[in-house]
Amino acid sequence: MTVEPGRPRGWRRARGAGRVLAAALVATAASGCGAPGPREDDAVTAARAFEASLAAAQYAQACTLLAPQTREEVAGEEDCAGALAKEELPSGRGQAQAQVYGRQAMVRLVGDTLFLSQFDKGWKVTAAGCTPRSDQPYDCQVKGG
């Protein structure tokens, strides 16, 4: 084995490994595995659309933004829009903080916390009107199953 002057033994192997690592990082970033930002943005957009529908008293529109099981739970014996209007959910506003875990997300706004799930056609609200409780799960006014 010959060693180039001024180069440590094995430098070619290390340089090759560096190229493989760089290619793997580029592939991971391109596949979206390392970049939750856009997914967080999409969850926030869905949460804000739900909050805007409630603020405008467009309860039928808000119902379309609920996950199917949550919509069924809210509706009970009546239509979803009428039942959702009776809930008197808090109004979320201001800066949003989102955390995405796989196909689940939590979006915190001033005045409300929402939980969402990602479906084939986008993010849907699974719980709203949620407040934290110490050492216990959130208490949510609207939630599915």
Side-chain angles (χ1 to χ4, degrees):
M1 172 183 199
T2 61
V3 177
E4 292 183 35
R7 302 279 186 187
R9 191 175 286 242
W11 78 274
R12 287 183 191 263
R13 208 174 356 183
R15 185 177 71 178
R19 286 183 181 157
V20 170
L21 178 60
L25 290 172
V26 167
T28 300
S31 70
C33 293
R39 296 183 65 228
E40 290 171 347
D41 292 345
D42 291 345
V44 167
T45 297
R48 288 196 185 282
F50 180 77
E51 293 288 344
S53 295
L54 293 178
Q58 296 176 341
Y59 300 110
Q61 175 63 30
C63 285
T64 67
L65 302 171
L66 292 173
Q69 192 171 8
T70 305
R71 190 172 39 249
E72 289 174 19
E73 187 79 21
V74 167
E77 298 295 317
E78 60 183 298
D79 73 306
C80 179
L84 194 56
K86 292 177 185 174
E87 287 293 334
E88 297 182 15
L89 289 168
S91 176
R93 60 197 179 290
Q95 185 69 24
Q97 296 177 336
Q99 295 174 311
V100 174
Y101 306 96
R103 298 180 65 82
Q104 308 297 313
M106 177 175 66
V107 177
R108 290 185 185 138
L109 299 162
V110 175
D112 196 9
T113 299
L114 300 99
F115 291 89
L116 300 95
S117 288
Q118 189 176 28
F119 290 83
D120 291 340
K121 294 188 178 188
W123 290 97
K124 299 287 184 177
V125 175
T126 57
C130 301
T131 54
R133 299 182 295 174
S134 62
D135 297 329
Q136 294 183 31
Y138 277 72
D139 182 32
C140 300
Q141 285 180 255
V142 168
K143 62 185 177 218

